[in-house]
Amino acid sequence: MSIIAEVSRWAIPFLLLIIPLAAFIRKVPVYESFVTGAEEGFKIAIKILPFLIGMLVSIRIFVDSGALEILAGLLEPIFIFFGVDTELTSIIPLAIMRPLSGAGALGVATQLIDQYGPDSFVGRLASTLQGSTDTTFFVLTVYFGSVGIKRYRYALKLGLLADITGLIASLWIVHYVFY
Amino acid sequence: MVNAIWLFMLVIGIVVAAINGRIDVVTESAMKAAELGVETAFGLIGVMSLWLGLMRLAEEAGFIRGLARFFSPLIRRLFPTLRPDSPALGAIIMNLSANILGLGNAATPFGLKAMQELQKENPNPDEASTAMITFLALNTSCITLIPATIIAVRLKAGSVNPTEIIGTTIFATSIAMTVAVTADYIMRRRARS
């Protein structure tokens, strides 16, 4: 664990050192090449702007209005039907939020951890869920948007399938390891 | 489907706010979210330029090609439609590596770069290519070795053992990734026929 943490800590300084150095040895005009590559950063960031705004507005209205809670309430019987404990249904808003918004999901997870305690079942489950799935819907719209893709084909279905799998796997493993 | 979800969230959100007598929330949230979108995109410009500049150096030094060659047995299986020397492969590998190390700031620039390269090889520019879908499936289900943010949250909340969820997280995400890759393989074949 501490080794992995160290690798994460050193990764960026290492890359910042080794890449320019290696390029220099290979006789690449390092500074000019860096600048040429960096130029693209601005263009890409501007390109994703409308997609970010479109998604954030819709998601934010959905969450802030209280619609998310209502949807979570509607989904509760389904979760219970599949054998999820009643107390664990507090995880449903997080499960819905996770694919939509990274910051939003972190907010919900933090609130759950504070409310139930980090070492409770809900706290551990929220932590595992937060780390094991991604903001699939958000990533898809922004990444596809950045290159002008309009038809996603089976991409969304696939991403959401992975998210649901992550949710089920999180439920199972937290139960298995800690209880 | 995206159009439907987008509209659904918007309409249901506004209707619920209206019923709850909190219609002001809609205005405020919409404005704030739009602003946040600009902040996020502009906030990306710096790191994005930094990483794309470095990546250009890595490309010209032959690093990226080397990486792609090293991972090629795996990658050829995952991305059968890409040429083995495709410039997209380097960006894909860098994106996944950054994801695994939990370097979210570095992952996004590489990911968007990968999409641009993939789009150059896309025969149908309006439509997601199979390689793009595979890439995004990997990207969104990718393992993170250290979920640093959530560990920090747990630590602050007074957890006895904030890092105890690393194992469960890696397990859950491995299962999700396996299912994603398998399902992608099946859906890809079904889509072709």
Side-chain angles (χ1 to χ4, degrees), chain A residues 107-152:
Chain A
V108 178
T110 306
Q111 186 241 318
L112 284 174
I113 289 169
D114 284 340
Q115 186 182 341
Y116 290 88
D119 303 322
S120 66
F121 198 133
V122 172
R124 284 168 171 155
L125 183 59
S127 310
T128 303
L129 197 59
Q130 178 71 16
S132 66
T133 53
D134 204 343
T135 48
T136 305
F137 186 67
F138 195 74
V139 168
L140 251 56
T141 50
V142 173
Y143 275 39
F144 277 142
S146 75
V147 289
I149 299 283
K150 293 190 185 71
R151 282 191 300 279
Y152 295 7

Side-chain angles (χ1 to χ4, degrees), chain B residues 48-192:
Chain B
M48 196 98 167
S49 303
L50 170 63
W51 287 110
L52 292 180
L54 266 188
M55 194 168 143
R56 176 77 175 218
L57 280 181
E59 242 165 37
E60 290 185 11
F63 263 29
I64 304 273
R65 238 174 303 129
L67 263 178
R69 210 174 302 137
F70 182 77
F71 286 106
S72 75
L74 186 68
I75 279 189
R76 245 179 307 165
R77 255 183 228 138
L78 286 169
F79 299 97
T81 53
L82 289 186
R83 283 181 288 118
D85 61 339
S86 164
L89 290 177
I92 290 173
I93 292 167
M94 296 299 277
N95 170 267
L96 295 179
S97 314
N99 265 323
I100 291 171
L101 291 174
L103 310 171
N105 274 341
T108 310
F110 291 135
L112 292 170
K113 174 85 180 163
M115 288 303 283
Q116 294 209 318
E117 295 295 339
L118 288 172
Q119 181 69 335
K120 285 181 197 157
E121 297 182 37
N122 186 359
N124 201 341
D126 269 356
E127 211 175 80
S129 67
T130 50
M132 287 177 178
I133 298 176
T134 306
F135 167 57
L136 286 176
L138 284 174
N139 175 302
T140 55
S141 67
C142 187
I143 295 165
T144 298
L145 293 178
I146 304 279
T149 320
I150 204 73
I151 292 174
V153 170
R154 292 171 58 79
L155 188 70
K156 229 180 85 199
S159 172
V160 179
N161 189 357
T163 55
E164 70 183 358
I165 46 83
I166 291 178
T168 54
T169 302
I170 291 179
F171 175 85
T173 189
S174 303
I175 300 284
M177 196 169 184
T178 311
V179 168
V181 170
T182 314
D184 174 54
Y185 183 77
I186 296 166
M187 288 177 179
R188 188 162 67 202
R189 306 199 95 192
R190 232 184 24 199
R192 215 183 296 142

